[in-house]
Amino acid sequence: MKKIVLATQNRHKVREIKKLLRGLGIKVLTLDCFPGAPEVVEDGKTLEENAAKKARETALYTDSWALADDTGLEVKYLGGKPGVYSARWAGPGCSYHDNNVKLLRELKNARGEKRKAVFKCVMALSDPSGKVKLAKGGISGVITENIRGKNGFGYDPVFYIRKYRKTFAEMPLGLKNRISHRGRALGKAKKLIMQRLAHSG
Ligand code: ITT
């Protein structure tokens, strides 16, 4: 069976991506299978650079196909912040809750349309030699005025989708995966996986 390594330290992403890759006939490994794997330093200026770096370095280290994702939340009122800096926006060692509290605080004077935001996800698929292809997905929403819901991770409790009248954290994972930035990017990445990995030697 063909194998792919998920190049992420984030167990929530692992859960989402594994569910999305089910049924492809590919064995999905995580970094837990490679205890000595060095942590990739995310020093790129864009989601594309970081995603490609995570996938490439993991592929080269594991000598396998690797899939990485880099995700950012862009808030209109904040000129696109936190964007590529979404993970540690509230400072080094901050929690998801710290980031959400900071976001609600920074938006306290923003009403209605000013609370619009976009989640962007870039998936990078690397072959064992480090050759990378990218696939992207996004979804628009609105930042809530309070934290809502217990599912998911990161900014999910403040990211509201009008059509479903729910934040991502109020949705079951199946629904989030069907409509999310990550689900959309992975829908495209799956085609690359089938074309490239399935036909590799
Ligand atoms: P890896 O780099 O190891 O994959 P990470 O958590 O650092 O894990 P990113 O740099 O891609 O991943 O993500 C930046 C932050 O964006 C992440 O820490 C979360 O706070 C947030 N985030 C990413 N995906 C999200 C999602 O689906 N829902 C809510 N927040 C998300």
Side-chain angles (χ1 to χ4, degrees), residues 73-78 81-82 89 99-108 110-119 139-148 155-162 167:
L73 176 70
E74 296 183 1
V75 181
K76 197 176 168 191
Y77 185 74
L78 302 177
K81 282 188 200 159
W89 193 43
N99 281 334
N100 287 328
V101 168
K102 175 170 176 168
L103 185 55
L104 296 183
R105 196 176 56 235
E106 299 233 346
L107 290 183
K108 71 176 188 304
R111 296 280 167 272
E113 296 298 289
K114 289 192 175 157
R115 301 184 76 91
K116 275 187 171 175
V118 187
F119 256 125
I139 180 164
S140 300
V142 171
I143 304 301
T144 51
E145 299 202 359
N146 299 296
I147 284 170
R148 288 175 50 170
Y155 298 92
D156 282 347
V158 294
F159 191 81
Y160 180 82
I161 313 281
R162 285 205 179 109
T167 64

Side-chain angles (χ1 to χ4, degrees), residues 7-10 13 16 42 54 69-71 86-87 96 99 119 153-156 176 181-182:
T8 177
Q9 305 282 352
N10 184 321
K13 286 189 188 177
E16 293 187 5
E42 294 185 46
K54 288 188 260 191
D69 114 29
D70 204 51
T71 295
S86 293
Y96 292 143
N99 281 334
F119 256 125
F153 68 100
Y155 298 92
D156 282 347
K176 180 185 172 192
H181 46 296
R182 182 162 298 105

Side-chain angles (χ1 to χ4, degrees), residues 7 40-60 66-71 84 121-127 129-136 196:
V40 179
V41 180
E42 294 185 46
D43 52 5
K45 294 263 182 300
T46 61
L47 300 177
E48 285 81 355
E49 280 172 36
N50 283 336
K53 188 174 182 199
K54 288 188 260 191
R56 182 179 301 113
E57 289 191 10
T58 302
L60 293 173
L67 184 70
D69 114 29
D70 204 51
T71 295
V84 73
C121 176
V122 178
M123 286 276 164
L125 174 69
S126 176
D127 73 9
S129 78
K131 192 159 171 264
V132 171
K133 294 249 190 256
L134 302 178
K136 301 178 193 182
R196 299 182 75 207

